[in-house]
Every structure is written in structure tokens, then in C-alpha cells.
Amino acid sequence: MEYVDLGWNHEIIHAAHSYWSHNWAATIQGLLDTHRRDLADYTVFFIERARQSTRADYLRSLQIKVEMYRVFGPLMDRFDLFVCPTLATNHIPAEFTWPDSEVLINGKIVISDEEYWSLTYPFNMLSRCPALAVPSGVGGNGVPTGIQLVARTYADRKVMEAGKAFEAASGAIPGWSLDRRLPAG
């Protein structure tokens, strides 16, 4: 295992917002007028953003996506898996609303977009690289924790095998068992 610094910065958050706005929210924006109260907070956010976003915003998000892969792609030529946490904190309340909600980070309450503490969104942009989130245990506050395993482009089998091996070796709590209403397996 080797620590790597991808050099990604906050610019990828704005790129991700534009990317999702154009690739997802723009396709469902009619729902905002007819079903607004039925939509999740983040869905409303992205539809409203899609209505304001420009082609230049979208093109910039694609450029940043390419820049992200210029770093990540060669890294994955050297390694079988990239492993990182799914979240930067386990102090997110169940009633959290998105975006811009209060979050405890490093002992301080801050107003934060999800992307400042959720670490899964970069791999939504690099969607050709398979990513799998697996339970890694329970934090000191009793909240489940997780890691994500990411493999090189189209190496889906690699992340599935690694996830299965990790759960077997670590004795981590299977995700389905965290909610007793769900059937085993």
C-alpha cells in the first residue's frame, strides 16, 4: 500500500455540479414544475443549477474530468486498486438536508456542501473506473464507516473480488445487516 496525492482541488466540486446538471438534472427538469415537493433537496438543487448552467460550464466540467483522469489513469496503470474512505467524517446527522447544511468537521460546525466531506463524487465523474463502497466497521460514535475500492477502467471484477475479500478478512459488518428490516444476503 502506498499513499498518493491526486492533487485534485475544490475546482472538481464545481465541475461535478456542472457535469451532473447537464448529464442528469437537465433530463428531468420538467419534474421541478410538476413534482417539486416530491423531489429530494439535491434533485431540486441540480435541476435549478441545470436551468442556469451554460454550455461553457459543461465544457469546463469535461475538461476537468479529463485532467482528473490524466492523474488517475496512469496511477491505476501502476496499482491494482485505489482505496480511500467513503466519507471524511462520520458525524453527518440522519436528518441532513442538502446542500449547504451544518456538519461537524474537525470538531467545528461548518456550513458545507456534501462534496467537501463525501469522497465518492470524483468517481461518479470518472465513471469508467469501477468503484465499490464496502463497510469497514463502526466509528467511536457508533456510526458505520466505509471505504471505497476503485480499479482501473472497466476492471469491475477486480473491485468485486477485493470487496468480497475485504469483508471476509476484516469481519466488517455487512451493509445489509445494519438495518434489520432488510433480509440477509
Side-chain angles (χ1 to χ4, degrees):
M1 189 169 280
E2 181 180 324
Y3 174 82
V4 296
D5 181 357
L6 298 173
W8 295 344
N9 60 34
H10 70 279
E11 190 175 25
I12 68 172
I13 294 172
H14 303 293
H17 287 183
S18 292
Y19 186 75
W20 297 326
S21 294
H22 283 268
N23 286 310
W24 166 64
T27 64
I28 61 169
Q29 64 178 305
L31 294 175
L32 189 61
D33 300 326
T34 58
H35 292 62
R36 183 185 192 104
R37 68 178 182 167
D38 298 323
L39 299 174
D41 295 342
Y42 69 88
T43 304
V44 171
F45 172 85
F46 281 112
I47 291 172
E48 288 175 343
R49 185 175 175 108
R51 289 179 173 179
Q52 298 170 9
S53 192
T54 67
R55 283 181 266 184
D57 295 331
Y58 180 61
L59 289 175
R60 181 65 184 140
S61 76
L62 294 178
Q63 289 171 331
I64 290 172
K65 180 179 173 176
V66 167
E67 292 168 15
M68 290 169 65
Y69 194 77
R70 276 195 190 129
V71 173
F72 195 73
L75 178 73
M76 295 314 295
D77 288 341
R78 293 181 33 223
F79 298 102
D80 290 327
L81 287 170
F82 179 81
V83 180
C84 67
T86 55
L87 300 175
T89 180
N90 64 350
H91 292 278
I92 306 302
E95 62 277 359
F96 178 83
T97 59
W98 193 94
D100 298 329
S101 204
E102 292 184 355
V103 179
L104 180 67
I105 298 178
N106 294 328
K108 297 178 183 175
I109 297 289
V110 297
I111 302 295
S112 175
D113 282 347
E114 176 185 356
E115 289 81 16
Y116 284 97
W117 50 265
S118 174
L119 305 176
T120 58
Y121 76 92
F123 303 105
N124 291 335
M125 288 187 65
L126 300 181
S127 58
R128 289 183 179 97
C129 296
L132 176 69
V134 294
S136 61
V138 178
N141 62 352
V143 174
T145 60
I147 61 170
Q148 58 185 331
L149 308 169
V150 185
R152 66 180 49 105
T153 305
Y154 304 115
D156 298 56
R157 181 178 294 261
K158 180 67 75 179
V159 294
M160 295 300 176
E161 290 171 348
K164 183 177 178 182
F166 177 81
E167 282 189 344
S170 69
I173 301 168
W176 56 263
S177 72
L178 296 173
D179 187 335
R180 299 286 179 215
R181 296 172 296 177
L182 300 176

